[in-house]
Amino acid sequence: MKGKFIGVKQNNDTFRVEKSFYIENVQKTVLRATALGLYVAEINGKRVGDYRMTPGWTSYFTTLQYQEYDVTDYLQVGDNIISFTVSGGWYCSGLGFNSAAPRLKYGEKAAVCADLIIGEKIIFTDTDWTAQESFIRSSGIYDGETQDFISPIESLDVVEIEWNKSVLVKQICEHVKDIERLSVQQIIVTPKGERVYDFGQNITGVVEIETDEDFDGTIVLQFSEVLMNGNFFDKGTRSAKSTDTFTVKGAKKLCPEFTFHGFRYMKMVGAELPADKVFAVVRHTDLKRTGRIYTSNKLVQKLMDNIVWGQRDNYLDIPSDCPQRDERMGWTGDANVFLGTAAFNYDVRKFFKKWLRDLRADQAETGEVSQVVPDILDWKNTATIWGDSVAMIPWTLYEIYGDKSFLTENYEAMKKYLVAVEKTMKNGIVVEGQQYGDWLALDNEHYSDDGCHGRTDSYYIATLFYAECLKITSCAAEFSGEKQYAKKCRKKYDYTLKRLREEYFTIGGRFALDTITAQVLALHFGIVPEKDRKELAQRLNENVIAHGYRTVTGIIGTKYLLFTLADNGYFDTVGKIILNEQCPGWLYEVKMGATTMWERWDSILPDGTPKADGMNSFNHYFFGSVMEFIYRRVCGIDFVSAGFEKIKISPSYVSGIDEIYAEFDSVVGKIVSGYRVVNGKIEYFATVPEGIAATLVLPNEDEREIKDRTFTCIREIKTSD
Ligand code: BGC
């Protein structure tokens, strides 16, 4: 690009720059723009495009995206004016959850860089442009936006900001947009006397309001995910102020531009606008929906819907942990465990191409992986599942989409990571280094406040996933033509498996760890010697029953729990876990009124009080990993080889769910599978794409080839079903 990065000399975090120009005739015109921060372009007073939060969040020092717009229709013969409103955004409005330290920034000053290409001529940003304050007086990702249409607008001085333009790349993934508008469900006057608008759904976005002609004053909006004792709850966002302020006279539509909030409820001070003048605007990356699950069981349907909302709310340019508090960061472990669900629900290929590029860029030279990507925290380590994302995320993407480039592009990064993990090992077992363990499992004894790590030995988990990463890396090595390295990985895998068995199984064949998560992982990843599998599966089943079918597992155990039970002959138990309505359990949240997935199984305790802790969001998607299981084992849409080149259809009846099916637009075509109970019998049905090899496995029956593209099979309901 020819443009220079320009900002302002003064300390305004948001400002406007503009340039007038004259054209003799209108010809094809393209605008290319980017910013250190966020920008909105206008030509002749008209907003360019419908993208939001551009240019998005990347590891700016290595990748900065620019956007391209065809703006031919915006121009007129004669005088024209182009302007940009620019704000700090992720670049410099401050991020990070350490309230004792200043917030983290990539740089001090926001800046914009643009080329307006009119045929042969280019109008580009430079110090000849003029600058002034914007009616957006300040804006921050965490703290919200202040707009003032009354105070005078002062002029500012344009300065050039140094930036290495070799990091510029064209937009990699789909754009963030304002996707949907939700109406107010009810206006509540709380016991404290506050006016609160309920949108009925926990979302990520902003609120748009409209004042009338008589209005003259300031309106303040604040956001929350829940009410507590009927009152607006303002503790959920921690240090993030999440406050939008509008000072205005007369009728005006008002909506923040450079921020977003995670909320279901909005508190309004300074006006009493009626419900039809208030809308919630859902803001996130505009991905293509590929999967849906439908069921007659209302609670399960609500759970599925909540999970999809959780994904939408947390896929705003990066896969974030949560959208409301002073984090909203790309926590790698969260993204990793949820991806199996996410990639069924939406086409996430480009979204993860972009994010993995940052993951590689932010990886330490010595191989440690950033815990959040983009790595604003400068926090890199080998914590299992979080660090393993470097291998496991490409692997899941390869499995669902069959695209080998996910593995080959990340192969070198995987190799480096293995070296880093090996530094924490002794005699083939991980023995040191930071771990989060089976994060947020409820199987620990809580003697102190810190009940986050679960009881399962985290170095056992770490060694086991190191072995998994070896398998993945060996496959990536094969695809990259490095046969020797592939062989080396397989040898190391065999050794690690041997060491895991020596270390965690007794000579008599008993498993030395007794948590559900430990048992699940040993079975699912084939760590238990085959001869002892049956016995351990039985122990696991007893363990689950002893826990009253409640989910005491953390984010790691939970992802594999139902798969392990189902694949080892305990499908009855699976059904009881899914349908358990007690705390902790998936339907417990639903029954407590959740509209997204909670961070903790007991984010709200049965007595209605919140878990007393600052780390308690109502929009963390990781426990939504159960949806992958519903797609693959209950509805029964599964791949036998990567990219659904070979399909397995295996719907399984869950007593208590009378009808359930999934539709999935896979890369080879549309797949439908599920069952319904009709006249006391189970009708299994499926549709598979033309020309794709598919097999059918119904409960307790042998696998057989599917000949007809669409079919139905009727079976008796057995008591054991
Ligand atoms: C985040 C998580 C994350 C975790 C790791 C939390 O504060 O919200 O979702 O994975 O930290 O420690």
Side-chain angles (χ1 to χ4, degrees), residues 398-417:
Y398 166 64
E399 281 188 316
I400 303 279
Y401 300 113
D403 180 351
K404 289 184 183 164
S405 72
F406 284 113
L407 292 173
T408 50
E409 273 171 17
N410 295 291
Y411 168 52
E412 289 301 326
M414 293 179 204
K415 278 165 79 177
K416 276 207 286 186
Y417 177 66

Side-chain angles (χ1 to χ4, degrees), residues 222-494:
Q222 280 184 303
F223 300 88
S224 176
E225 303 186 282
V226 286
L227 299 180
M228 284 301 161
N229 301 322
N231 282 313
F232 186 79
F233 182 67
D234 60 5
K235 306 262 179 306
T237 59
R238 296 201 304 225
S239 78
K241 293 196 184 75
S242 256
T243 303
D244 295 332
T245 306
F246 304 95
T247 301
V248 62
K249 188 168 171 6
K252 200 152 188 70
K253 264 205 180 134
L254 301 158
C255 186
E257 180 66 52
F258 298 122
T259 192
F260 59 88
H261 313 286
F263 66 100
R264 168 176 168 173
Y265 300 94
M266 184 266 292
K267 180 172 93 178
M268 185 184 292
V269 175
E272 294 193 352
L273 300 184
D276 64 349
K277 299 288 177 207
V278 179
F279 291 94
V281 181
V282 178
R283 188 171 278 186
H284 57 74
T285 300
D286 190 14
L287 299 173
K288 183 175 162 253
R289 184 85 187 259
T290 48
R292 289 171 199 272
I293 290 175
Y294 303 92
T295 171
S296 57
N297 184 307
K298 291 203 166 53
L299 293 177
V300 176
Q301 184 67 60
K302 184 72 183 138
L303 174 67
M304 298 299 103
D305 296 346
N306 289 357
I307 294 168
V308 173
W309 268 110
Q311 178 170 359
R312 296 177 65 183
D313 294 345
N314 282 295
Y315 275 28
L316 194 160
D317 211 43
I318 58 143
S320 65
D321 57 336
C322 56
Q324 75 300 91
R325 68 180 180 221
D326 51 4
E327 295 205 50
R328 315 185 194 188
M329 290 184 265
W331 282 96
T332 46
D334 306 36
N336 184 0
V337 298
F338 187 65
L339 182 58
T341 293
F344 268 96
N345 286 335
Y346 286 89
D347 183 345
V348 297
R349 281 175 284 183
K350 290 187 194 156
F351 188 77
F352 275 94
K353 276 264 160 163
K354 164 179 174 283
W355 188 77
L356 283 167
R357 184 183 161 109
D358 286 341
L359 187 143
R360 294 193 296 274
D362 288 345
Q363 185 180 21
E365 261 315 300
T366 41
E368 290 80 4
V369 166
S370 303
Q371 299 308 284
V372 297
V373 173
D375 188 5
I376 184 73
L377 301 177
D378 195 17
W379 186 357
K380 305 175 204 294
N381 63 31
T382 52
T384 195
I385 290 293
W386 279 255
D388 305 333
S389 292
V390 67
M392 292 176 75
I393 286 189
W395 179 254
T396 306
L397 292 164
Y398 166 64
E399 281 188 316
I400 303 279
Y401 300 113
D403 180 351
K404 289 184 183 164
S405 72
F406 284 113
L407 292 173
T408 50
E409 273 171 17
N410 295 291
Y411 168 52
E412 289 301 326
M414 293 179 204
K415 278 165 79 177
K416 276 207 286 186
Y417 177 66
L418 291 177
V419 173
V421 177
E422 282 158 12
K423 276 191 263 166
T424 68
M425 300 176 81
K426 212 169 146 192
N427 296 328
I429 298 289
V430 176
V431 291
E432 61 182 28
Q434 189 186 356
Q435 297 291 340
Y436 307 110
D438 190 23
W439 186 245
L440 299 182
L442 289 179
D443 54 3
N444 214 342
E445 288 166 338
H446 294 260
Y447 291 123
S448 70
D449 279 347
D450 180 14
C452 293
H453 292 80
R455 193 160 61 85
T456 310
D457 177 344
S458 23
Y459 291 139
Y460 156 73
I461 306 178
T463 310
L464 184 146
F465 281 101
Y466 161 74
E468 243 345 79
C469 290
L470 284 169
K471 276 205 256 173
I472 296 169
T473 311
S474 101
C475 185
E478 291 282 355
F479 291 162
S480 307
E482 290 205 9
K483 294 219 170 329
Q484 276 312 315
Y485 195 82
K487 208 166 144 200
K488 196 167 151 193
C489 286
R490 284 196 295 272
K491 261 184 92 179
K492 280 190 184 176
Y493 172 82
D494 291 343

